[in-house]
Amino acid sequence: MTATGSSRLTAADIQKGNMTVQSDSPVTLIRPPRGWQAINLRDLWLYRELVYFLTWRDIKVRYKQAVLGIGWAIIQPIVTMVVFTFIFNQFLDVKPDAGIPDDWYPIFAFAGLLPWQFFQGALQRASTSLVSNSNLLTKVYFPRLIIPSSAVAAGLVDFGFSFLIMIGLMIYFGVPFTLQMLWLPLFLMVALLTALAVGLWLSALNVQYRDVQHMVPFLLTIWMYVSPVVYPIDVINVSGFWKAVYALNPMVGVIQGFRWVLFGTNPPGWMFAISMTMVLLLLGSGLFYFRRMERTFADLI
Amino acid sequence: MSDIAIHVNGLGKRYRIGSLHTSNYHTLRDSLVSLFQPREKQPNGHIWALRNISFDVKQGQVLGVVGRNGAGKSTLLKLLSRVTEPTEGEAEIRGRVGSLLEVGTGFHPELTGRENIYLNGAILGMKRAEIERKFAEIVEFAEVEKFIETPVKRYSSGMYLRLAFAVAAHLEPEILVVDEVLAVGDAEFQRKCLGKMGDVAREGRTVLFVSHNMSAVLRLTDETVVIDKGGLIMQAPTAEAVDFYLSRGFSQEGQRVWEADEVPFGTAPFRPRAVRVLNSQGKVVNTIRSVEENVIEIEYELSAPVTGLRVGIYLMSTRGEYVFTSFDTDDAAEFERMTVRPAGRYISRCTLPANLLNEGRFVIGVNASSYRVKRYFQDEQALTFTVDAAGAPGMHWPEARLGPVRPRLNWQIEAIQA
């Protein structure tokens, strides 16, 4: 019997009455992997509910035994905002973007922290996600892509709470609500894709090289300072070429976009285009690398 | 050929030595270092965990898979359930596969019973609607109604296992791949699990069933494949395959010797050496006579003193029924005397009284443990031997006697009315 011969019913089979319940069942071929493989979209679709359940588990478990529970999602950005305001605005005299009043620094910083903390949390969880779910990897099949994806998605709930504070702050500071705010999901999506793209690379690398675990906190500290979280993008006073290099960091485009959406300053222009291109490159390569490494996860982990 | 549910053709899986048992991961430094080392110094050993495996499973068939620890059974199941990918060969599977390589995969201790049912169900590939539909049934099967809103970390281990198995048992894939899940839980629960497995089999689903429990394999499967050292040795009707498996690999001379590399990891300080069957003349034999006294001895080494140790045997029929269990410190006074067994080499020897066993083949299992502390070593199929019943009671009737024992009982025939 050949593999192809058995994989479809012939007319003769049907005539002989050999058609069985299983004839319309999916046929799975298991064979050694060869080279680069496309993403298995059919399986991703079949297992879509698992993304939801794993995300839900991450959120539930994270706050289950914490006394303050979801309060942590609120306390963290507020305390950071207060500290930044004192250190950078009061003592180091960092000013917000041109066109924003000086005493708006807290909300200016918060608008940067909003996408940044989401990105930071998502990347942190995604990069260790495969290793911390090793019990699943070695025992059940499902598209491995689901694990880092749901780790990233779990950060959306925290983002939601932070965003509520943002709205409160906007009312307090008298920032007008504009139609521009409808663009916000786009920039959030870019932050999410960036976290996923880098998360794919790091989580797959982490399976083989646990060095990644030590590298991520360090990487994130550096990354925050090369993103305009505490300072306005104008302070990067360099030539166009170096500005383009700076914009290779997708979070530059994201944070700039958030501030544009909320305060109407510095609309994202060519720098955002560079950021977007970088995200797509990272995501494409991340998917390929992840897909290639995926088959060895269960053996290496 | 559309009635074939699983078609396996020349399947093989190679592991790099070192990635299998010892270091599970590399650091970047290792990779950088090995980059600068001469080629021949790199460990380039590979082992085939499985090779040249070919078999077919018909739709609706329940196929047993037996083999010793490390024979490659788990690798086969992992390949078929797509947890890992083969190095060569191919397999073709028609239908949705549900694999149960362990119970409770993905259970989270902080989540409640209800939450874990949903989570575990989704991980095993169930749809949300499907879980909702079967929720009541799952809870009832697991007998955890009262604790369904309690985090599973507060469950007793029995409750935990029942819940985990209940979710898995309600999977409805066309093909079910099951590994050893029945080796857990108490006897009552095992019976329940086996019953459920039997139902699954009768529903006409295709099942691949891996187990060490020969009576379960005999009860549930029609055909069985025997795997040894990564190769498929035999595919035959279950009774034949089980008999072959039980008598194979154990030497025919009535003793089983454990070489250093055969001792499983983690038995220290207990190190099994051998188990032997000796006849009344003190010779190591494969066949004993039931009318004589015979001896079973276990030789072992302790690398450190062990408190409360008991070394003993299980005796089983080849159908997997237990005949008895006995330990060297069953006598309370002897247990007192041997509270701490110092390091050294030992033989624990027991005498099988004459007129105990019926004719047939028997399996000796070995167990070394400290009650409620640790099980150091266990091999449930260490050795088989044959009992010859010549001269036993009732042998003047040439019929097979039922039951594993054949005692010489004291009968008196009394005429109460002349």
Side-chain angles (χ1 to χ4, degrees), chain A residues 6 28 49 208 295 300, chain B residues 24 26 28 85 93-94 128:
Chain A
S6 63
T28 312
E49 283 184 349
Q208 205 169 359
R295 53 187 180 236
L300 287 175
Chain B
N24 333 10
H26 320 271
L28 200 55
E85 294 186 332
I93 298 179
R94 340 185 110 244
R128 195 194 175 122

Side-chain angles (χ1 to χ4, degrees), chain B residues 274-295:
Chain B
V275 54
R276 299 182 191 94
V277 176
L278 301 104
N279 67 8
S280 53
Q281 282 87 48
K283 274 179 70 179
V284 178
V285 287
N286 178 38
T287 303
I288 58 171
R289 298 196 56 205
S290 73
V291 291
E292 292 175 349
E293 274 191 357
N294 298 283
V295 169

